Amino acid sequence: MTLLEITDLTLSIGALKILDRVSLSIAPGEIVAVTGESGSGKSMTALAAMRLLPERAKVAGHVMLEGRDLLAQSEAAMCAVRGREIGMVFQEPMTALNPVRTIGDQVMETILIHGAMDRDAARARAREVLERVGLPEDRFPLSRFPHELSGGQRQRVVIAMAIALRPKLLIADEPTTALDVTTQAQILDLLKGLVQDYGMGLMMITHDLAVVSDMADRIVVMRRGEVVEQGATRQLFARMHHPYTRMLFEASGHRVTLPAPPPPAPLLEVRGAVRDYRLPRRHLMRDPGVHRAVNAVSFTLNRGERLGLVGESGCGKSTLTRAILGLEPLQGGEILLDGQPVWSGHRPNLAVRRRMQVVFQDPFGSFNPRHRVERLVTEPFHLLDSPPRGAARREAVAEALTAVGLQPGDAGKYIHEFSGGQRQRIAIARALIIRPELILFDEAVSALDVSVRAQILDLLAELCAAYQLSYLFISHDLSVVRTVTDRVLVMKAGEIVEQGETARVFAEPQHGYTRALLAAAPTLPEVGAA
Amino acid sequence: MLRYSLKRLLSLILSLAVASLVIFFVIEVAPGDPASFMLGINAQPDTVAALRAELGLDVPKAERYLAWVGGMVTGDFGTSYTYRTPVARMIADRLWVSLPLALYALMLSTLIACPAGIYAAARRGRPGDAVVMGATQLGVAVPNFWFAMMLVLVFAINLRWFGAGGFAGWDKGLLTGLHSLTLPAIALALPQAAILARVMRSALLDILGEDFMRTARAKGLSRRQALWRHAVRNALIPVLTIIGLQFSFLLAGAIIIEQVFYLPGLGRLVFQAISARDLIVVESVVMLLVFAVITVNFMVDLAYALVDPRLRART
Amino acid sequence: MSRNLALGAILSSLVVLAALTSFVWTPYDHAAMNIPDKLQTPNATHWFGTDHFGRDMFSMIMVGARTSIAVALLAVGIGMALGVPLGLAAAARKGTWADELIMRGNDLVFAFPSLVIAILITAVFGPGAVNAIIAIGIFNIPVFARITRGAALSLWEREFIMAARVAGKGAARISAEHILPNVLNLLIVQGTIQFSLGILAEAGLSYVGLGAQPPLPSWGRMLADAQTMVSFAPHMALIPGVAIILTVLGLNLMGDGLRDWLDPRLRVTRG
């Protein structure tokens, strides 16, 4: 007997078709993963099952929960279903909780709103589920407010709210995407345990095939609102009937081949770098003290070398990046490029700065929306004493755009005319245009869909061959760092805990933290051989 | 919470100090010699000298400032030159009209605006919303003193429900006093209520788009329950800011409205003082108004902390 | 273009048109007294009637529009000219003493409602339209400083600003090249709103005698004149009041319409 049976679910908003005849089913105790890239309609499928769609959405088809068609229920009847029979967990734990109410209050609300228990019983139940999701009473009393908890802890509260009434079905929409890899592993374990204990069905929405392969019983692959393939996890990976599934799989574990680096000669030298931030003053008289974001970091990046820097959020990797770029001063140590300091006296050293460029994470936020591509790409010319003008300038723009796989004619367009992947290409063109000796990639592929990410990684490999790039690749994504770097640094709490050849570090991690990171990272099954 | 309050209190005192400096500078330093300014150009030199002595203008400016501030702290606002009575007593009499009027209007405005804003947000895009929004659009555009004249025309002159002006005084009973303040309070409150209702609505709509509202709906709360239990309290933060700002508009507005209704409040006092060039009175009234605005903003800051636990934690 | 924006634009341009036309033509001399014709209700010869001195109200409204627009426009100009650079500077130096000083200064100015500033100025320098402009203008400074700083702060967090810094550009250059163009929409919208508030404030100040002085005609003073006659000549109060309401309404509708029209997020959902 199936728990949830979706048949021919079709959804459109205005003239835009979002879902097209989506069918899938979930049995009690089963974990079904719905996966696909952005725009595939996976989240909309989940919201349709909850009937939490935008008001203008038009739906057809059937969503049967134990034989009852949810699409035919009244709104009042749906309110009784939500929270009681279907629980839901969302992507963004930082904003999913009401900031002005305590966590106990918010967990109890699920119970009280359905009139399932009286206040005392509800309080006891709230305590019990918080305990169950790993928030023990001594450290997490019911009176805590959301802002006092970390992202992972907040996600646990959201899960507690969703399971407080032991629903038959739990829908989790990218529940770990916003979390660090070690936290992600814990949350995934928790979800698996809950499914086992309560015999719930779990519909897991995720873009990450590796996450899915570890825990799902069955997988549903979606693209542009359609289900392209579904089946039991092992068979699906073994067969991969649909070319899109194969492409997704290939792109998720995409490998590139880098040209061999030249013999070592130091380019960037970081020596005992220290970066402190003053903490907000809590006492009028007492010195507020400092937070040491980067603590005595030393490493060398050789000319022509591709160096990786991995670590979880808050480890100090972004701060280190800004210090290398000369955007922030150091409180100790020094950073040298080709022997010259990045920061001289109280000013960033322009002579050094013009030899470095950076590519940021967000393909949407890294360009001024009011300027044309030509102006965007040539912004680094500001660093030069005599920037090229007229024809030379146009030629430089054309060359940079061509190098990243765009057309010279794109120079006259505005940034909103490009897709995310194309924007990231433009960001690389902007970095290349002054032929810097060092490029910093700050989470440069983290916001991209896997297929686009694979293309950008290919581009990077091509550029390495064509321009002999030296770069520092900063990322939280171990699988990407593994393929695009020669050497890797592992950073934790402001310090480098391990560094070495990428292949060696991944094969035989020495530091306990590196081992924990690697163990927590979800991996794709090895089916290439099968 | 205590630390937060102390910090706000410190900034309150600092603001008052700077504000008093500014006022002192404009009134007593900028015009050159206040005594000859107050007496006009035809004054006899010996009258000017007498007034200078009376005002204590011969002492250095810094000392005079300190004496002025010190006097205000102890309730001594000086003596009015034209009325020959202590300014403190004149102000106190007038304050019993102006302050109740501003508070009465603030209460009316909040009582009208909050339900209207919540109603409009809950019915976003439907006819009910359109009616409320249309009414507020008009309300924002109406000058309160003109609205006051229209109220007098309709309710006092034609319907004779209220007197056309003047103040009955509090000694004839609370209700009589309130009755003569009702039309002025409505005239003050409605345009402000229109602004507040718009703020309430847009704050609520912002919050309705937040992730935690979706979480609440996923728990099984209906749209209405989610609005009341999760959105309204969060919306209070911007609404409180506006209520704080409105108090200063209401106080200033009261000064104008008093002219329409011939109410013996601070407004009439200050305009009489201006035409009589009685700088001592003007200075004190202005300082009092600024004091009221700064204090109300201080209280709003404290109210934030009650609404938002994040502020309580942050010091 | 939405209906609001169209309606607002039409109302506002009517008022501007009336003000501009008054320079070359009014039906009568707005200051000419004609006691025999006093207190006429609107009719074919005097479209808006006459006041207690027999002056033509239509002409007075036209010339009064001039005063209202001039005062409000200059006040907004003062607010923008000083407030916007202050806001940009505060955002560029976020968290430093300069930012703190600018923002605390702003808070302080906020404690002086424009009427209180007007009272102070008038007490010392005497009443007049210029004083009204200064009083409303001073009050506008923190409004623009705050809104500019708020918008600029979120822009400073964006990666394209980081990219500009990596390209070696300084705070002033980034503010002019990247920040200002991106807050301009917001400033235009706020400018319209402050403009309408300026018209209300000017009317209020002139009504209590702190603003425009005779012989300069002003809607606020027309209302002050009308006050004692309201029971037997209500048109004297109705007409300037409606003129103020329609002007402010038009400007507000235009501001709201502009906000929707200029906001790219809203445009995407519409398309």
Side-chain angles (χ1 to χ4, degrees):
Chain A
M1 159 89 193
T2 57
L3 172 65
L4 182 78
E5 179 89 50
I6 298 179
T7 36
D8 288 337
L9 179 65
T10 299
L11 188 154
S12 54
I13 297 178
L16 194 66
K17 197 157 218 178
I18 310 280
L19 296 178
D20 189 9
R21 282 169 294 135
V22 169
S23 297
L24 60 93
S25 69
I26 299 173
E30 190 183 33
I31 301 180
V32 174
V34 180
T35 187
E37 297 186 289
S38 46
S40 64
K42 53 190 193 302
S43 291
M44 275 298 175
T45 308
L47 291 175
M50 285 294 266
R51 288 265 308 273
L52 285 177
L53 294 164
E55 265 178 60
R56 295 178 304 142
K58 278 206 270 300
V59 201
H62 303 280
V63 178
M64 312 293 281
L65 182 75
E66 292 189 316
R68 211 154 35 118
D69 192 347
L70 296 183
L71 294 186
Q73 302 297 313
S74 68
E75 175 57 27
M78 274 316 292
C79 283
V81 170
R82 291 185 205 118
R84 175 160 220 157
E85 296 180 51
I86 310 179
M88 188 155 181
V89 178
F90 300 96
Q91 170 170 356
E92 228 357 291
M94 301 311 277
T95 50
L97 294 170
N98 185 340
V100 303
R101 295 182 57 186
T102 64
I103 59 171
D105 203 16
Q106 297 190 55
V107 176
M108 280 166 65
E109 187 175 41
T110 309
I111 302 163
L112 294 173
I113 203 80
H114 291 282
M117 300 172 192
D118 63 35
R119 272 199 94 78
D120 290 332
R123 186 172 297 113
R125 171 62 76 85
R127 194 55 267 164
E128 182 194 326
V129 285
L130 282 173
E131 219 61 60
R132 175 64 189 85
V133 299
L135 299 174
E137 174 153 30
D138 52 335
R139 286 177 52 218
F140 303 97
L142 296 178
S143 56
R144 288 259 177 186
F145 282 100
H147 69 266
E148 300 171 302
L149 308 183
S150 73
Q153 290 160 350
R154 290 188 209 189
Q155 196 63 308
R156 287 172 193 270
V157 176
V158 176
I159 293 173
M161 284 175 1
I163 61 159
L165 286 174
R166 310 266 158 85
K168 300 170 186 126
L169 175 69
L170 183 64
I171 299 177
D173 186 1
E174 304 269 8
T176 58
T177 305
L179 303 173
D180 278 326
V181 47
T182 46
T183 318
Q184 161 168 292
Q186 293 161 6
I187 296 287
L188 292 177
D189 274 346
L190 172 64
L191 288 172
K192 270 190 277 193
L194 288 171
V195 168
Q196 252 166 26
D197 288 4
Y198 298 165
M200 288 185 301
L202 172 61
M203 181 192 216
M204 170 101 172
I205 314 288
T206 177
H207 69 286
D208 191 338
L209 266 187
V211 163
V212 163
S213 65
D214 274 358
M215 67 182 288
D217 298 311
R218 284 191 310 116
I219 294 181
V220 178
V221 181
M222 291 186 68
R223 182 181 62 164
R224 292 191 212 124
E226 289 179 61
V227 173
V228 298
E229 185 167 5
Q230 58 178 309
T233 305
R234 194 169 302 172
Q235 277 109 325
L236 185 117
F237 277 126
R239 284 204 293 271
M240 293 199 274
H241 284 300
H242 199 280
Y244 180 72
T245 315
R246 274 199 294 281
M247 190 283 290
L248 212 54
F249 187 83
E250 198 286 322
S252 300
H254 191 68
R255 296 287 168 84
V256 297
T257 319
L258 298 176
L267 174 64
L268 175 74
E269 289 166 278
V270 177
R271 293 187 195 145
V274 172
R275 176 77 178 104
D276 291 334
Y277 288 107
R278 293 197 75 76
L279 290 171
R281 192 174 278 269
R282 291 186 163 272
H283 259 278
L284 219 52
M285 299 302 155
R286 209 177 299 162
D287 185 59
V290 292
H291 166 67
R292 184 149 287 189
V294 172
N295 187 10
V297 165
S298 299
F299 66 88
T300 302
L301 187 155
N302 292 318
R303 202 174 280 280
E305 186 182 38
R306 282 77 51 154
L307 183 64
L309 174 60
V310 297
E312 298 187 297
S313 53
C315 75
K317 54 188 198 297
S318 304
T319 307
L320 182 59
T321 311
R322 284 198 295 273
I324 294 173
L325 286 168
L327 296 179
E328 289 180 9
L330 288 179
Q331 275 69 50
E334 56 181 354
I335 298 175
L336 305 171
L337 187 79
D338 215 4
Q340 283 181 286
V342 165
W343 196 270
S344 58
H346 293 286
R347 299 180 60 84
N349 187 346
L350 265 190
V352 170
R353 209 179 240 195
R354 69 174 60 133
R355 297 162 70 179
M356 292 194 271
Q357 276 301 303
V358 62
V359 177
F360 293 109
Q361 167 176 10
D362 181 7
F364 295 90
S366 50
F367 297 100
N368 187 337
R370 296 179 176 274
H371 293 167
R372 288 175 199 276
V373 167
E374 168 163 18
R375 184 158 177 202
L376 295 171
V377 167
T378 53
E379 187 157 46
F381 280 162
H382 184 73
L383 290 162
L384 304 181
D385 295 326
S386 53
R389 295 183 192 286
R393 179 185 159 100
R394 277 194 297 280
E395 206 164 292
V397 172
E399 192 192 333
L401 289 178
T402 316
V404 297
L406 295 171
Q407 305 296 319
D410 290 334
K413 295 186 185 163
Y414 285 99
I415 198 67
H416 67 256
E417 299 173 57
F418 297 91
S419 70
Q422 287 172 323
R423 289 178 199 202
Q424 217 53 337
R425 287 172 189 269
I426 294 171
I428 296 174
R430 172 169 64 188
L432 281 176
I433 200 158
I434 53 167
R435 295 292 173 83
E437 289 162 60
L438 174 67
I439 300 184
L440 279 74
F441 289 96
D442 187 0
E443 300 278 6
V445 297
S446 303
L448 303 175
D449 270 328
V450 284
S451 56
V452 180
R453 186 177 73 190
Q455 292 162 14
I456 298 290
L457 294 180
D458 283 337
L459 171 68
L460 221 52
E462 282 165 33
L463 293 173
C464 281
Y467 293 93
Q468 207 207 51
L469 295 185
S470 315
Y471 60 71
L472 182 65
F473 196 95
I474 300 112
S475 179
H476 71 281
D477 188 334
L478 298 169
S479 68
V480 172
V481 171
R482 184 173 198 170
T483 182
V484 295
T485 63
D486 307 309
R487 223 150 51 79
V488 66
L489 314 168
V490 181
M491 196 164 180
K492 186 195 178 213
E495 295 179 38
I496 306 280
V497 295
E498 179 162 3
Q499 54 178 308
E501 302 273 316
T502 305
R504 203 272 302 150
V505 171
F506 274 76
E508 308 157 26
Q510 301 298 309
H511 195 274
Y513 178 69
T514 317
R515 278 201 291 275
L517 269 187
L518 286 171
T523 47
L524 285 169
E526 294 289 331
V527 290
Chain B
M1 181 71 197
L2 181 68
R3 207 174 295 147
Y4 173 82
S5 316
L6 283 177
K7 220 172 135 179
R8 301 317 310 168
L9 188 66
L10 198 74
S11 110
L12 164 94
I13 293 169
L14 204 70
S15 306
L16 286 176
V18 180
S20 63
L21 263 176
V22 171
I23 294 170
F24 180 81
F25 181 83
V26 172
I27 296 279
E28 300 211 13
V29 182
D33 182 17
S36 44
F37 175 82
M38 286 167 74
L39 293 171
I41 35 174
N42 298 324
Q44 300 295 324
D46 50 330
T47 357
V48 174
L51 182 61
R52 285 185 61 88
E54 186 190 327
L55 295 177
L57 292 185
D58 302 319
V59 273
K61 291 189 176 74
E63 214 169 294
R64 233 164 66 213
Y65 168 73
L66 288 178
W68 177 57
V69 172
M72 278 192 301
V73 171
T74 54
D76 175 12
F77 286 67
T79 305
S80 158
Y81 172 69
T82 32
Y83 294 93
R84 293 284 159 202
T85 42
V87 177
R89 206 169 64 231
M90 292 171 71
I91 289 181
D93 289 346
R94 311 303 184 102
L95 209 55
W96 274 106
V97 178
S98 293
L99 199 61
L101 175 57
L103 290 175
Y104 192 0
L106 190 68
M107 190 190 74
L108 279 180
S109 145
T110 312
L111 285 182
I112 296 166
C114 288
I118 294 172
Y119 174 82
R123 326 209 123 235
R124 179 189 195 176
R126 290 190 234 158
D129 181 23
V131 169
V132 173
M133 289 319 283
T136 59
Q137 191 69 266
L138 193 65
V140 170
V142 173
N144 53 20
F145 62 93
W146 178 80
F147 186 51
M149 286 163 72
M150 293 300 117
L151 287 177
V152 169
L153 183 63
V154 175
F155 294 102
I157 296 176
N158 289 335
L159 295 173
R160 299 186 178 281
W161 291 356
F162 296 92
F167 181 60
W170 295 110
D171 39 347
K172 295 202 187 89
L174 184 68
L175 281 180
T176 323
L178 281 182
H179 188 253
S180 46
L181 289 184
T182 297
L183 278 190
I186 292 174
L188 265 177
L190 278 190
Q192 296 298 316
I195 297 174
L196 195 59
R198 292 178 81 84
V199 172
M200 184 88 209
R201 175 182 178 270
S202 76
L204 276 175
L205 289 184
D206 282 351
I207 285 157
L208 291 181
E210 294 274 348
D211 283 353
F212 64 79
M213 294 306 292
R214 198 180 50 183
T215 313
R217 297 272 287 137
K219 283 200 273 191
L221 276 74
S222 68
R223 224 172 261 286
R224 177 184 293 264
Q225 285 170 325
L227 178 81
W228 280 100
R229 290 170 185 232
H230 290 276
V232 169
R233 185 156 164 201
N234 278 288
L236 278 184
I237 296 166
V239 168
L240 273 174
T241 312
I242 301 301
I243 291 183
L245 276 180
Q246 287 207 332
F247 184 76
S248 65
F249 284 110
L250 287 174
L251 213 55
I255 292 178
I256 296 183
I257 291 292
E258 283 165 13
Q259 298 295 102
V260 184
F261 291 94
Y262 305 103
L263 293 176
L266 284 178
R268 295 194 70 77
L269 177 65
V270 86
F271 291 125
Q272 284 160 359
I274 287 177
S275 44
R277 297 191 161 192
D278 194 338
L279 289 185
I280 308 300
V281 172
V282 174
E283 187 178 48
S284 305
V285 173
V286 166
M287 188 61 219
L288 192 76
L289 291 175
V290 172
F291 173 79
V293 172
I294 293 178
T295 315
V296 165
N297 284 330
F298 167 70
M299 293 193 297
V300 167
D301 279 344
L302 293 191
Y304 280 154
L306 289 180
V307 175
D308 191 341
R310 287 164 294 186
L311 270 180
R312 252 175 281 166
R314 206 183 293 153
T315 64
Chain C
M1 203 155 92
S2 69
R3 214 176 42 204
N4 271 1
L5 184 53
L7 187 63
I10 291 171
L11 280 176
S12 314
S13 32
L14 271 181
V15 178
V16 173
L17 199 70
L20 290 179
T21 313
S22 73
F23 281 106
V24 290
W25 175 83
T26 50
Y28 297 86
D29 178 359
H30 69 86
M33 297 194 200
N34 183 6
I35 304 294
D37 284 349
K38 72 176 182 181
L39 296 177
Q40 286 185 14
T41 48
N43 56 52
T45 42
H46 294 284
W47 299 332
F48 284 174
T50 56
D51 73 353
H52 54 301
F53 292 126
R55 291 176 292 191
D56 179 53
M57 299 262 299
F58 191 84
S59 311
M60 288 171 78
I61 290 284
M62 279 177 78
V63 184
R66 219 152 76 186
T67 315
S68 285
I69 290 174
V71 170
L73 207 59
L74 287 169
V76 171
I78 292 175
M80 274 199 179
L82 293 170
V84 173
L86 282 175
L88 287 175
R93 287 172 178 67
K94 182 198 166 196
T96 64
W97 62 267
D99 177 25
E100 190 72 11
L101 192 72
I102 292 172
M103 293 327 285
R104 291 292 80 79
N106 268 322
D107 288 350
L108 191 73
V109 179
F110 252 140
F112 289 79
S114 52
L115 182 77
V116 172
I117 301 177
I119 289 174
L120 267 179
I121 297 178
T122 313
V124 177
F125 301 104
V130 176
N131 294 343
I133 293 171
I134 294 171
I136 304 168
I138 289 177
F139 193 69
N140 274 336
I141 296 171
V143 172
F144 284 103
R146 275 190 186 193
I147 196 158
T148 308
R149 178 177 179 270
L153 276 185
S154 68
L155 284 170
W156 273 98
E157 301 292 316
R158 298 271 294 273
E159 287 182 341
F160 73 87
I161 299 298
M162 200 82 99
R165 292 178 62 200
V166 172
K169 291 182 177 168
R173 199 184 174 103
I174 289 176
S175 291
E177 209 168 282
H178 290 296
I179 307 277
L180 189 59
N182 280 295
V183 298
L184 209 56
N185 282 350
L186 202 61
L187 292 178
I188 292 171
V189 171
Q190 193 64 36
T192 343
I193 292 166
Q194 293 309 119
F195 188 58
S196 76
L197 288 177
I199 288 188
L200 279 178
E202 188 275 333
L205 291 178
S206 298
Y207 170 76
V208 291
L210 300 181
Q213 296 298 306
L216 192 62
S218 139
W219 294 347
R221 241 200 24 265
M222 288 171 76
L223 285 172
D225 290 345
Q227 192 175 346
T228 48
M229 330 253 165
V230 73
S231 55
F232 51 90
H235 74 275
M236 273 181 68
L238 270 173
I239 286 165
V242 171
I244 295 172
I245 292 173
L246 288 182
T247 309
V248 174
L249 191 65
L251 286 167
N252 284 341
L253 286 176
M254 200 163 80
D256 283 3
L258 275 177
R259 170 165 38 212
D260 296 351
W261 191 54
L262 294 172
D263 189 336
R265 279 176 310 169
L266 293 169
R267 222 179 312 169
V268 169
T269 53
R270 198 177 305 146

